[in-house]
């Protein structure tokens, strides 16, 4: 693994309460909210060297295909990182869990065939900078796989999302924002969007401000 020094502190994100709640809710959402199937779809067909940003408790790890030779999983929150390190032990592919933040990835440039973000772009402090970093570490022509929640399609939902983002939502949910537009941000960072589809999480039942999601593939320009 090609590591480099990061300007971000080891524990750049400190949300111990959220981390504890997320560790439980995310497992339930995978099993009962249909999220495990989206993780499978997100990662299908990947191969080579992969960097996953904001790996949380490592729920993606079990879904990496065997053609993936190595995953470097960046996670800034200490307790989630510990859970991710445990999940890495059970993964079928080699996974290294590493402290760091999306805005200053502690790895060398153009070192990865693919980058993965799932439910993370809502929480990074500086979205354009995080995406610029992802572009830096991908080889030319490398893929960005994304599964992110974001801005809703109805005006009333967007008004609610913006109000929540200005008030309680980031405080309650570890810095998360509901009204970001991940697809537009990925395109603005210079990636070509190859395919995407909109979906709602959870699949059935209560619709939350974080329900509108987008899952897809973007590509860094250039050929390898
Ligand atoms: C909702 S959780 C999603 C975790 C995991 N990707 C998943 O799919 O379950 C958001 C994650 O983003 C991480 N995060 C927050 N700010 C970050 C940053 N600046 N850089 C990288 N990860 C960050 C959090 O620590 C947390 O693990």
């Amino acid at each position: 693994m090609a590591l480099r020094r990061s300007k971000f502190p080891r524990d750049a994100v400190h949300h111990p309460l959220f981390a504890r709640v997320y560790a439980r809710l995310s497992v339930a959402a995978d099993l009962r909210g249909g999220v495990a199937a989206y993780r499978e779809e997100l990662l299908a067909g990947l191969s080579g060297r992969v960097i996953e940003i904001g790996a949380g408790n490592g729920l993606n790890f079990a879904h990496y295909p065997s053609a993936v030779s190595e995953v470097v999983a960046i996670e800034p929150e200490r307790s989630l990182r510990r859970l991710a390190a445990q999940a890495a032990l059970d993964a079928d592919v080699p996974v290294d869990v590493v402290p760091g933040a999306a805005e200053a990835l502690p790895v060398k440039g153009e070192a990865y065939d693919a980058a993965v973000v799932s439910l993370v772009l809502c929480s990074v402090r500086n979205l354009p900078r995080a995406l610029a970093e992802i572009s830096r570490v991908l080889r030319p022509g490398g893929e960005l796989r994304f599964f992110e929640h974001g801005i809703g399609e109805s005006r009333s939902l967007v008004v609610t999302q913006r109000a929540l983002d200005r008030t309680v939502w980031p405080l309650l949910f570890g810095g998360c924002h509901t009204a970001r537009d991940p697809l537009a941000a990925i395109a603005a960072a210079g990636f070509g969007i190859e395919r995407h589809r909109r979906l709602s999480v959870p699949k059935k039942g209560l619709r939350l401000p974080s329900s509108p999601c987008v899952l897809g593939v973007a590509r860094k320009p250039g050929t390898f």
Side-chain angles (χ1 to χ4, degrees):
M1 180 187 20
L3 281 183
R4 66 170 202 168
R5 286 171 72 83
S6 168
K7 281 176 281 173
F8 270 63
R10 222 179 131 75
D11 294 317
V13 169
H14 185 63
H15 293 299
L17 190 58
F18 168 75
R20 216 177 309 157
V21 173
Y22 187 75
R24 284 176 175 221
L25 287 185
S26 57
V27 173
D30 266 39
L31 297 177
R32 293 197 285 277
V35 176
Y38 297 141
R39 296 186 189 280
E40 190 75 19
E41 180 180 341
L42 173 73
L43 305 176
L46 279 178
S47 60
R49 304 185 71 208
V50 176
I51 182 164
E52 179 175 336
I53 293 106
N57 44 338
L59 289 179
N60 282 331
F61 299 168
H63 300 276
Y64 279 104
S66 57
V68 168
S69 57
E70 174 198 3
V71 178
V72 171
I74 307 291
E75 174 49 52
E77 216 289 330
R78 182 183 296 206
S79 51
L80 288 173
R81 194 164 63 238
R82 208 174 294 143
L83 294 172
Q86 277 168 19
L89 297 176
D90 294 330
D92 290 337
V93 301
V95 180
D96 259 324
V97 179
V98 175
E103 294 87 344
L105 293 172
V107 297
K108 286 188 179 159
E110 302 195 354
Y112 295 90
D113 300 298
V116 172
V117 285
S118 63
L119 311 174
V120 167
L121 297 182
C122 54
S123 299
V124 298
R125 284 186 204 146
N126 185 329
L127 182 53
R129 189 162 153 199
L131 287 165
E133 271 294 271
I134 293 172
S135 180
R136 177 183 69 76
V137 304
L138 277 176
R139 65 165 170 80
E143 282 180 64
L144 170 58
R145 298 285 182 102
F146 55 92
F147 165 40
E148 292 289 333
H149 72 82
I151 195 156
E153 279 165 7
S154 75
R155 194 175 143 62
S156 59
L157 177 55
V158 173
V159 168
T160 306
Q161 288 177 318
R162 291 199 170 128
L164 287 170
D165 285 0
R166 281 194 302 270
T167 53
V168 293
W169 196 272
L171 295 174
L172 290 176
F173 297 106
C176 173
H177 299 78
T178 60
R180 287 187 179 171
D181 187 340
L183 202 61
I186 289 168
F191 289 91
I193 307 287
E194 281 198 348
R195 59 178 190 270
H196 73 281
R197 71 184 184 96
R198 307 236 174 228
L199 41 97
S200 187
V201 175
K203 237 178 195 167
K204 294 180 198 149
L206 192 65
R207 208 166 145 72
L208 304 167
S210 57
S211 285
C213 287
V214 61
L215 188 156
V217 183
R219 197 171 290 278
K220 176 175 170 175
T223 46
F224 192 41

